[in-house]
Amino acid sequence: MYHYSGSAAHTDAHSTAGSATGLLEPGARDQDALYFQRCTWCGTAMFHRVLCPVCRGSELRTERSAGTGTVRHSTVVHRNTPAARNVSLIEMGEGFVVRGRVMGPLIGIHGGDRVRLSTAKDPVRGEPVFQLVDEPYSAWS
């Protein structure tokens, strides 16, 4: 997580796009939005990194995600929880991958399903929560 630092230089106090250091002004974030970093040198999008994984650049700007993506992998987890839940890897439209939970029937979530952001931070687990854009395909109904 990135935290506000009083010694960080900011370009615009009212900007929600963030500075080149990847820091936002306090209170500038919308709690229902998902934010990611983009490298100013090579343009690679990433989620919660300190350095760019491609060029190792440290100049990252913070951007707001549109909130739509595609499930790349989903699995059902029965550990550390009273009920089964899913854990999914979501490839967002901007090009970064984030781990989160998809609401819906556990066996109905598959790779390739389109999802949109429901909540940026689950109050229990602190991970993004997504919902299916299309209804799951039901071959037997």
Side-chain angles (χ1 to χ4, degrees):
M1 291 280 290
Y2 295 101
H3 298 284
Y4 173 73
S5 172
S7 64
H10 297 286
T11 57
D12 184 12
H14 300 291
S15 174
T16 58
S19 67
T21 60
L23 298 173
L24 292 175
E25 289 293 324
R29 286 188 180 224
D30 180 13
Q31 295 300 324
D32 293 331
L34 188 64
Y35 291 91
F36 68 99
Q37 291 81 29
R38 186 176 302 277
C39 180
T40 58
W41 289 98
C42 67
T44 302
M46 67 215 78
F47 188 68
H48 291 285
R49 295 286 188 113
V50 177
L51 297 175
C52 175
V54 175
C55 71
R56 300 290 185 218
S58 62
E59 293 183 21
L60 308 175
R61 70 176 181 267
T62 302
E63 297 180 10
R64 181 181 175 157
S65 173
T68 58
T70 305
V71 175
R72 287 296 159 221
H73 179 73
S74 183
T75 187
V76 177
V77 177
H78 299 276
R79 164 187 67 191
N80 296 333
T81 181
R85 64 182 177 90
N86 75 350
V87 175
S88 301
L89 291 177
I90 311 294
E91 183 177 345
M92 301 302 290
E94 293 83 8
F96 66 95
V97 177
V98 63
R99 188 185 92 177
R101 182 171 56 93
V102 179
M103 294 187 303
L106 296 177
I107 61 170
I109 301 167
H110 304 289
D113 289 344
R114 294 182 309 145
V115 294
R116 72 172 171 261
L117 185 67
S118 175
T119 304
K121 195 170 191 181
D122 180 23
V124 176
R125 299 258 179 217
E127 60 190 10
V129 179
F130 297 89
Q131 60 187 8
L132 293 170
V133 172
D134 303 321
E135 288 295 320
Y137 176 70
S138 177
W140 299 105
S141 59

